[in-house]
Amino acid sequence: MFSTRQWTWASMICAGVLSLSSVCLAGDQEKADKPEFPPLDQVTKGFTEVKAPDDSTPYLRIWKNDKTGQMLAQLPKNYKTARQFIAPTISGGERFAGLQSDAFYVYWKPYGKRVALIQENLEIKGSDEESKSSVQRLFTDRVLLSMPILTHPKGAGPVIDLDALLVGNASTFLGVSPNSMLVSIKKTKVFESNVEVAFEVPMYNGTLKTLHYSISEIKGSPNYKPRVADQRIGYFTTSYNDYGKYEGDDTAVRYVNRWHLEKRKKELKLSPPKHKIRFYIEHTTPVRYRRWVRKGILSWNEAFEQIGIEGAIEVMQQDQQTGEYMDLDPENVRYNFVRWLNNNISTAIGPSRVNPLTGEILDADIVLTDGWIRVFEDQFADLMPKIAMDGMTAETMAWLEQHPNWDPRIRLAEPSARDFVRQQLEYTAEQNRGIRKPWELKTRMMGDEPLDGISDRHSQTNGACMAAEGRAFDVTMMRFAMLAAKLERLQDDDDDDDKEKDDDEESDEDKEQLLDGMPESFIGPLLADLVAHEVGHTLGLRHNFKASSIVDIAELNSEEYKGKQPFAGSVMDYLPTNFKVKNGEIQGDYAMIGIGPYDFWAIEYGYTLDDKKLPEILKRVAEPELVFATDEDTLGPDPLARRYDFGKNPLDFAEDQMELAHQHREKILESFVEDGEPWEKARRGYLMTLGLQVKSASMMANWLGGTYVYRDKKGDPNGRTPVQVVEAKKQRDALNFVIENMFFDEAYGLNPELINHMTVDYFDDTFNRITNEPAWPIHDRIMGVQATALTQLLNPTTLRRVYDNEFRVPADDDAVTLKEVMDEISNAIWSELDKAPKGKFSVRKPAISSLRRNLQSEHLERLFDLGSERGGPAAMKPIADLAAMRIKQLQEKLEKAVENERFDDYTKAHLNDSLVRVTKWLEAQYVVSAN
């Protein structure tokens, strides 16, 4: 029993506990009464809410403070489950402002008082319950960034600092690092399905850029059904790996990228679509070119009509003068624009953004630039290395990395810039070595890399598009031809007194309309063709670099074709301008008219409304006019998978190009440079013709060791063997073309009068003026061109293909052999040793010219490199053996040649030096072998 004292202590303890409990309860009540976040009106104090134009409920509620440049946004109520599409664009402050950047498919996830922006794993999926669970555990999503929650009203989404999100994290979204202390709001628009915001901010170098963001929710069209991609037709794809698939050896699932098109009236054979693909031509497009841009866009409607959809694409003109559509933002994901940039660069690109779950195209903006129309300058150092590198494989690139003296990018550079180019290439190789495949380089803007956009982007888009660069070269050649024609007319005037009278009587209606100094009949179709090419990309189509091979050049320059039939299988090729030289009766179409048969076929597969027709559509793959090869194929052995080639027999085109170069060279001083113009134009004119020469030789070098490659599948009607060796005669003709047009002095058309007029532009404010001296470096330039040709013929990849093809061809059939190739090249380069030149020689009239001596020394270095290479692919052993044998044979010839007392000192010194180098190399090889 308790005593009185015990009861007293017990009473006191209970009272204390009750008192303490009261205090705790009061504290808890006070804590419960205090809100977790401040009220919305307090957070948005000093801000103005942005209203939708139709007073509808906006996708995001946004408040802005124009004075401070701050912006707040309230996420949707369903922010945890909804998938957002953040589409950023640099819309001002750089030369390619308006070009789409990569889009982000994301969702938000709360973490206490913060929300994280998360990028969903879309690369790996599971197709059944078990694999889905496993994949979700193994291949998790990725946190891009996190933001503090400013307030979270009950029953609504959280409020975040929007300018901190979009400007403070611009490096994540756009790859730029602005000074976020200085922010100016340029645009804020809210709509029911999206919001558009833009900020002007200085970069750390002070340059002001405008960062535009289009934010929306991805829902996808209700009735859209993904279409499986097929290797026989070239579409950009949205793909993932299904690790729940076990029935085959391929886990990849690939959907074509395409728009959602449905008939408005299914019962009609030809019906308009429920929703059209609408393009707006930006108001910056010059009025004189708008009809040709429109023509290029609408050229695709005929392909949609074949599948029963009438008027699938329509065009609207944004116009500043009338105000039509000026309220629309090109960066808005709801609108498709064709944009015109005045940046003096030759570029065109047609990127698009897609639903990363289905491949449905959501938004497309084509960018055209003005430079290809205006360009009238030396493109040699810029464009020629790209053309010379076309088709170089990873194997060849590795060789060039180890042997930089073989690299056309270095050899074709200005002599003073070669060390810089070499260092730049070494740095790039070091950065990329063993990390990423070339087509997986994810750069900030679409098109930064030749194969950019083929994979590794949530928004699968086309990558670099160099179609406009080729157009720029052709426009320059047209200006050249027009000047020559003008001179001929003036000469005719002098011979015919009545000519001036006839010209005066010519009516204005009969005169050709000129646009920027060029006939509209020339420049207009070129622009329409270029636009059609880019629109094709926005419809989901990839390049088709075999499309130029379906028509003979003589055919397309005929009455049968001109204005009536397309001269290529597709506008998705890089088609050179058709300048008639020798082949054909008349000047045919300069550019494609409309789209080609492959384009009709591709649209039929991608957009037909009846899935049951797909197998029959694909069975047409072996039809000759439907040949297809895309960007990756240009790295392979098929010589028809080539940029800028032309015709069923590209050798005819190459010969025409060389004839065109010879014709223009003869008129450089006479007509290309007009009275009152600086003589630096003579240098530009010559380099343009040299460019034709390099393009032609590069194109034909690709035929050596070639194999035709086809994408037919087993069971296709008239199915072709997947790999077929190129005919021996065509390979030999190609090799002879390169030899004749690259290795002999006469091919270059140089003479003292022309050379002495090839000076520089004294008002050139670019780096070119510093690196280019007034006296053109003859030997360096020609040696660079010849070294490039040697690389294209003697690189290990080409020689390996020749050697492998010997095995592919039955022993009783004719085949080009490795020995034949190496012998032909050596014999042509060292022909003076087989048949000694006749006549009297001096240092002013040497037996072997200076250009030939340089070429022979270069060839010797190439043989040394090949003969010393004993590792690598299995084919290197016979290549090295034959190179060593050739060097030994040269030693024997040189020993006889140095005894010729009639030779001049230049020739003697060259031959003696060559003999010493050959002897030393052979001795070194014997020492190595002995050890």
Side-chain angles (χ1 to χ4, degrees):
M1 293 182 65
F2 285 105
S3 65
T4 304
R5 176 174 288 188
Q6 288 174 322
W7 274 114
T8 302
W9 280 109
S11 299
M12 291 177 63
I13 291 172
C14 288
V17 170
L18 289 173
S19 176
L20 182 59
S21 298
S22 299
V23 171
C24 291
L25 289 172
D28 289 342
Q29 183 63 44
E30 183 179 349
K31 185 177 180 181
D33 291 342
K34 185 178 179 181
E36 185 177 9
F37 294 102
L40 179 63
D41 56 356
Q42 182 179 329
V43 171
T44 59
K45 185 177 181 180
F47 288 78
T48 302
E49 185 170 4
V50 182
K51 299 294 184 181
D54 55 358
D55 290 328
S56 60
T57 302
Y59 174 60
L60 299 179
R61 289 183 70 186
I62 289 182
W63 297 265
K64 66 174 183 173
N65 187 324
D66 290 317
K67 290 183 179 180
T68 63
Q70 291 177 290
M71 195 178 294
L72 308 177
Q74 185 174 44
L75 302 181
K77 184 178 180 180
N78 64 342
Y79 76 100
K80 297 179 185 179
T81 56
R83 265 40 181 176
Q84 282 190 343
F85 205 51
I86 300 179
T89 306
I90 295 181
S91 60
E94 63 177 40
R95 286 199 169 195
F96 286 99
L99 181 60
Q100 290 183 355
S101 293
D102 195 15
F104 292 80
Y105 177 79
V106 293
Y107 66 93
W108 292 94
K109 182 176 181 180
Y111 287 88
K113 291 190 175 183
R114 297 185 72 86
V115 283
L117 189 64
I118 299 179
Q119 201 166 41
E120 186 176 351
N121 163 45
L122 298 173
E123 287 74 33
I124 310 295
K125 297 182 181 180
S127 53
D128 54 45
E129 184 178 349
E130 293 81 7
S131 61
K132 285 180 181 178
S133 299
S134 177
V135 165
Q136 288 174 0
R137 181 167 56 89
L138 299 179
F139 303 97
T140 55
D141 299 343
R142 173 172 170 255
V143 174
L144 291 177
L145 53 89
S146 69
M147 298 293 298
I149 298 173
L150 303 181
T151 186
H152 196 161
K154 189 175 181 180
V159 176
I160 61 171
D161 188 332
L162 193 60
D163 61 281
L165 170 69
L166 302 178
V167 178
N169 294 283
S171 59
T172 298
F173 294 115
L174 284 160
V176 297
S177 299
N179 181 352
S180 56
M181 300 296 291
L182 302 173
V183 180
S184 173
I185 298 173
K186 292 284 288 186
K187 189 176 296 181
T188 315
K189 295 181 180 181
V190 296
F191 306 98
E192 189 173 4
S193 60
N194 63 297
V195 299
E196 307 295 316
V197 297
F199 305 90
E200 184 182 72
V201 287
M203 300 298 105
Y204 278 99
N205 65 358
T207 303
L208 289 171
K209 291 186 186 294
T210 301
L211 314 181
H212 187 112
Y213 292 88
S214 185
I215 305 174
S216 57
E217 181 178 357
I218 287 190
K219 294 180 179 179
S221 300
N223 299 322
Y224 182 82
K225 182 180 178 182
R227 177 150 298 166
V228 175
D230 191 278
Q231 69 180 34
R232 289 165 282 190
I233 299 180
Y235 271 87
F236 291 108
T237 61
T238 293
S239 58
Y240 64 89
N241 282 289
D242 181 358
Y243 284 1
K245 290 174 62 177
Y246 291 95
E247 65 274 13
D249 55 2
D250 187 7
T251 62
V253 176
R254 302 179 183 90
Y255 297 136
V256 302
N257 288 358
R258 60 181 184 141
W259 295 88
H260 180 50
L261 285 176
E262 294 178 289
K263 279 185 175 182
R264 183 177 298 176
K265 298 288 185 181
K266 292 183 179 180
E267 65 275 13
L268 293 179
K269 185 176 181 180
L270 191 62
S271 165
K274 288 183 179 179
H275 302 286
K276 294 185 177 184
I277 302 171
R278 178 178 293 175
F279 280 98
Y280 296 86
I281 301 176
E282 192 178 30
H283 67 91
T284 53
T285 306
V287 174
R288 59 191 178 277
Y289 292 122
R290 290 179 182 179
R291 78 181 185 95
W292 293 103
V293 173
R294 177 186 295 271
K295 182 178 177 65
I297 299 171
L298 295 176
S299 63
W300 288 92
N301 270 341
E302 193 176 351
F304 287 101
E305 287 177 7
Q306 74 169 343
I307 59 172
I309 301 177
E310 181 183 28
I313 302 174
E314 68 176 356
V315 178
M316 304 297 176
Q317 177 63 59
Q318 188 185 58
D319 192 270
Q320 196 166 26
Q321 193 170 27
T322 64
E324 289 182 283
Y325 306 113
M326 289 301 294
D327 59 325
L328 304 185
D329 301 311
E331 299 84 7
N332 190 324
V333 293
R334 293 189 295 151
Y335 305 114
N336 312 308
F337 266 79
V338 178
R339 314 194 70 175
W340 188 282
L341 306 184
N342 292 87
N343 58 11
N344 203 31
I345 297 174
S346 302
T347 303
I349 186 169
S352 58
R353 295 179 173 122
V354 305
N355 184 332
L357 299 179
T358 64
E360 180 185 0
I361 298 176
L362 306 172
D363 168 43
D365 292 310
I366 294 168
V367 169
L368 306 174
T369 62
D370 62 338
W372 69 277
I373 293 176
R374 178 189 296 117
V375 70
F376 197 48
E377 59 187 25
D378 169 19
Q379 287 189 315
F380 191 91
D382 182 35
L383 184 58
M384 287 308 107
K386 295 178 183 178
I387 291 175
M389 295 297 292
D390 197 15
M392 298 289 186
T393 67
E395 178 184 11
T396 307
M397 297 297 284
W399 176 266
L400 297 182
E401 187 180 338
Q402 296 299 317
H403 302 84
N405 203 44
W406 288 58
D407 198 319
R409 294 167 295 184
I410 296 172
R411 301 307 296 269
L412 291 175
E414 292 291 341
S416 58
R418 284 177 191 156
D419 283 341
F420 173 75
V421 173
R422 180 182 287 108
Q423 292 170 12
Q424 192 176 44
L425 292 174
E426 288 174 355
Y427 175 77
T428 303
E430 184 65 31
Q431 293 298 305
N432 296 333
R433 189 181 296 118
I435 302 174
R436 306 296 291 278
K437 298 173 182 177
W439 52 85
E440 292 180 339
L441 295 176
K442 187 174 181 180
T443 48
R444 181 172 62 81
M445 291 197 306
M446 306 302 179
D448 285 350
E449 298 290 338
L451 299 180
D452 172 32
I454 291 175
S455 69
D456 199 41
R457 286 193 186 273
H458 283 210
S459 207
Q460 294 297 308
T461 70
N462 61 292
C465 190
M466 297 184 290
E469 290 187 347
R471 286 283 184 267
F473 193 87
D474 293 338
V475 168
T476 305
M477 296 309 299
M478 183 59 173
R479 292 187 187 273
F480 203 150
M482 290 178 65
L483 289 171
K486 177 181 177 182
L487 176 67
E488 290 177 6
R489 287 196 301 271
L490 291 174
Q491 291 173 340
D492 289 343
D493 287 349
D494 293 339
D495 298 335
D496 187 352
D497 295 336
D498 295 330
K499 186 71 169 65
E500 184 175 351
K501 181 180 178 181
D502 293 340
D503 285 344
D504 291 340
E505 293 174 354
E506 184 181 12
S507 68
D508 290 339
E509 293 181 0
D510 295 331
K511 292 180 180 178
E512 168 74 276
Q513 172 74 49
L514 296 181
L515 299 182
D516 297 320
M518 285 170 295
E520 185 172 14
S521 61
F522 169 77
I523 195 66
L526 255 66
L527 177 57
D529 182 23
L530 180 63
V531 171
H533 178 102
E534 301 306 335
V535 171
H537 282 319
T538 67
L539 296 175
L541 298 185
R542 296 192 59 191
H543 289 131
N544 181 359
F545 291 127
K546 263 193 175 182
S548 60
S549 64
I550 71 168
V551 182
D552 186 80
I553 293 179
E555 262 188 293
L556 61 91
N557 286 315
S558 68
E559 294 287 356
E560 178 187 355
Y561 264 82
K562 184 172 183 178
K564 301 169 186 174
Q565 300 183 57
F567 58 47
S570 172
V571 293
M572 303 313 296
D573 203 338
Y574 286 174
L575 298 169
T577 302
N578 173 36
F579 292 113
K580 178 192 171 299
V581 184
K582 295 185 298 184
N583 293 286
E585 303 166 356
I586 62 171
Q587 171 62 58
D589 296 313
Y590 289 113
M592 279 278 281
I593 54 168
I595 60 177
Y598 167 84
D599 301 321
F600 280 87
W601 183 51
I603 291 297
E604 185 181 13
Y605 177 77
Y607 289 89
T608 185
L609 304 176
D610 186 356
D611 290 355
K612 295 178 182 178
K613 292 182 178 180
L614 296 178
E616 290 301 315
I617 293 171
L618 290 169
K619 285 181 180 179
R620 297 180 57 202
V621 64
E623 294 179 17
E625 66 271 19
L626 303 183
V627 289
F628 165 64
T630 193
D631 296 78
E632 303 95 285
D633 297 301
T634 63
L635 304 176
D638 194 330
L640 293 175
R642 179 78 183 186
R643 301 171 178 90
Y644 304 115
D645 64 347
F646 204 27
K648 190 177 292 185
N649 182 16
L651 180 60
D652 293 339
F653 175 63
E655 290 175 341
D656 271 4
Q657 294 289 285
M658 282 306 306
E659 179 64 25
L660 196 62
H662 294 323
Q663 290 178 8
H664 285 332
R665 280 174 187 164
E666 294 172 357
K667 300 173 182 177
I668 288 175
L669 300 182
E670 188 178 11
S671 63
F672 187 63
V673 185
E674 298 187 274
D675 289 346
E677 292 186 323
W679 281 111
E680 57 88 18
K681 257 184 91 175
R683 179 185 287 200
R684 283 190 275 154
Y686 181 78
L687 288 179
M688 284 189 293
T689 67
L690 192 58
L692 283 177
Q693 194 168 343
V694 172
K695 286 173 66 177
S696 302
S698 177
M699 180 199 323
M700 297 319 298
N702 206 42
W703 283 75
L704 194 60
T707 53
Y708 303 120
V709 178
Y710 300 104
R711 292 173 172 245
D712 308 28
K713 292 185 178 181
K714 185 176 181 179
D716 284 335
N718 303 312
R720 297 157 294 192
T721 305
V723 177
Q724 299 176 16
V725 176
V726 172
E727 302 88 336
K729 184 180 184 305
K730 288 189 175 182
Q731 291 190 58
R732 292 189 181 107
D733 288 345
L735 177 59
N736 289 333
F737 178 88
V738 178
I739 288 173
E740 292 298 322
N741 291 287
M742 287 282 110
F743 295 158
F744 294 100
D745 296 5
E746 298 78 15
Y748 295 93
L750 290 168
N751 58 68
E753 184 183 13
L754 175 59
I755 292 170
N756 291 331
H757 283 88
M758 290 164 54
T759 184
V760 297
D761 182 356
Y762 290 97
F763 284 121
D764 189 349
D765 298 324
T766 68
F767 186 66
N768 290 334
R769 178 64 186 90
I770 301 173
T771 58
N772 288 334
E773 61 178 69
W776 189 61
I778 304 162
H779 292 93
D780 273 315
R781 274 301 195 193
I782 300 302
M783 188 66 262
V785 169
Q786 293 178 324
T788 295
L790 283 173
T791 296
Q792 291 165 333
L793 295 176
L794 291 176
N795 72 80
T797 303
T798 297
L799 297 179
R800 173 184 58 76
R801 287 172 177 169
V802 171
Y803 191 59
D804 284 347
N805 281 352
E806 293 183 43
F807 201 82
R808 290 190 176 95
V809 177
D812 293 335
D813 293 350
D814 186 21
V816 175
T817 66
L818 181 61
K819 180 182 183 303
E820 177 186 351
V821 170
M822 298 186 74
D823 284 353
E824 287 294 321
I825 294 171
S826 292
N827 291 339
I829 292 174
W830 295 90
S831 60
E832 292 89 345
L833 301 187
D834 295 321
K835 189 175 181 181
K838 296 180 180 180
K840 294 183 178 180
F841 307 113
S842 67
V843 291
R844 296 292 293 122
K845 294 183 179 181
I848 303 177
S849 73
S850 57
L851 298 182
R852 292 278 293 174
R853 295 196 301 268
N854 286 345
L855 174 62
Q856 290 168 0
S857 295
E858 184 74 25
H859 179 249
L860 208 54
E861 290 293 334
R862 303 302 176 96
L863 290 179
F864 291 160
D865 287 341
L866 292 173
S868 303
E869 191 69 31
R870 297 287 169 169
M876 279 309 303
K877 175 64 166 57
I879 292 171
D881 289 344
L882 287 174
M885 186 173 74
R886 254 292 154 189
I887 294 169
K888 178 61 178 173
Q889 292 169 349
L890 274 174
Q891 183 188 41
E892 296 169 0
K893 292 182 179 183
L894 287 167
E895 287 173 344
K896 294 179 181 179
V898 295
E899 296 174 359
N900 193 330
E901 294 296 330
R902 294 173 51 251
F903 284 162
D904 56 279
D905 286 348
Y906 277 146
T907 300
K908 287 179 183 178
H910 163 65
L911 295 176
N912 274 291
D913 176 68
S914 299
L915 178 58
V916 170
R917 292 165 62 203
V918 164
T919 302
K920 293 292 186 183
W921 186 87
L922 288 170
E923 290 174 353
Q925 294 302 303
Y926 292 142
V927 170
V928 170
S929 298
N931 290 337

